Amino acid sequence: MKNIQLLLVLMLFVALHSAAQETACITEQNIHYYPEDVNQSDAYINERCVLDIYYPTDEETFGTIVWFHGGGLTQGQKEIPEALKNKGVCVVGVSYRLHPKVKSPKYVEDAAAAVAWTIKNIEDYGGDSTLVFVSGHSAGGYLTSMIGLDKRWLAEFGVDANQIAG
């Protein structure tokens, strides 16, 4: 009986300690990452080229992960993956234009615009612009590679690809 009680107390302690470790976060949704004149010039850009930002409120100068969804460049929506939440970092979930409504390289341009927006604006949310990491799943991994390995994409938005932390 004492072993069961000890096990229950230990489990309760672990559960309470884990809950205490969670970071308080805020999510802001549907932020346009292109300038307003670009958003107003194209209804599809205005609809698709938005991001959600999930950031900690009790951390200072945190790192940021820009996350691109998968979907073969033909489908998918921005997301904040559950596995990245409550880690003391910001996560930026990006939506981008999709094929066949647009052709390449429009979605690569969108990815670069979103990362440039993040680098230029993350300090307004408490983040560190030198700690911006870019990642994604499937097609999102492709977009990550394109903007990280070919400097011309980010240069179009006034950002050097070497500013990406990883």
Side-chain angles (χ1 to χ4, degrees):
M1 183 70 159
K2 283 189 176 191
N3 286 342
I4 292 174
Q5 289 174 336
L6 182 60
L7 180 62
L8 289 173
V9 169
L10 183 61
M11 288 173 49
L12 179 61
F13 174 78
V14 169
L16 290 174
H17 182 70
S18 295
Q21 295 297 322
E22 287 194 12
T23 304
C25 293
I26 293 175
T27 302
E28 292 188 27
Q29 297 180 310
N30 298 319
I31 300 168
H32 288 100
Y33 52 83
Y34 277 112
E36 192 59 30
D37 60 325
V38 175
N39 293 327
Q40 297 306 314
S41 71
D42 184 309
Y44 193 48
I45 287 175
N46 195 52
E47 171 194 341
R48 289 290 304 182
C49 296
V50 294
L51 56 82
D52 293 348
I53 183 168
Y54 171 91
Y55 61 98
T57 58
D58 55 358
E59 301 281 334
E60 291 184 25
T61 61
F62 45 79
T64 299
I65 301 165
V66 179
W67 181 262
F68 293 103
H69 66 82
L73 302 173
T74 63
Q75 58 187 345
Q77 295 290 330
K78 61 185 165 46
E79 63 178 335
I80 307 292
E82 288 297 320
L84 299 177
K85 289 183 174 181
N86 296 313
K87 305 294 186 206
V89 298
C90 172
V91 184
V92 176
V94 180
S95 204
Y96 50 88
R97 292 175 286 174
L98 301 170
H99 184 82
K101 283 194 175 185
V102 297
K103 307 275 189 245
S104 182
K106 293 300 184 191
Y107 19 83
V108 180
E109 292 169 3
D110 293 348
V115 170
W117 181 94
T118 302
I119 289 171
K120 292 176 180 178
N121 292 281
I122 197 59
E123 290 177 356
D124 294 341
Y125 297 87
D128 183 339
S129 64
T130 68
L131 294 175
V132 174
F133 298 81
V134 184
S135 190
H137 174 259
S138 189
Y142 162 75
L143 294 173
T144 296
S145 297
M146 291 298 290
I147 64 167
L149 296 174
D150 187 340
K151 289 184 154 205
R152 68 182 158 139
W153 300 113
L154 283 167
E156 182 179 328
F157 298 96
V159 172
D160 185 333
N162 290 342
Q163 290 177 261
I164 297 172

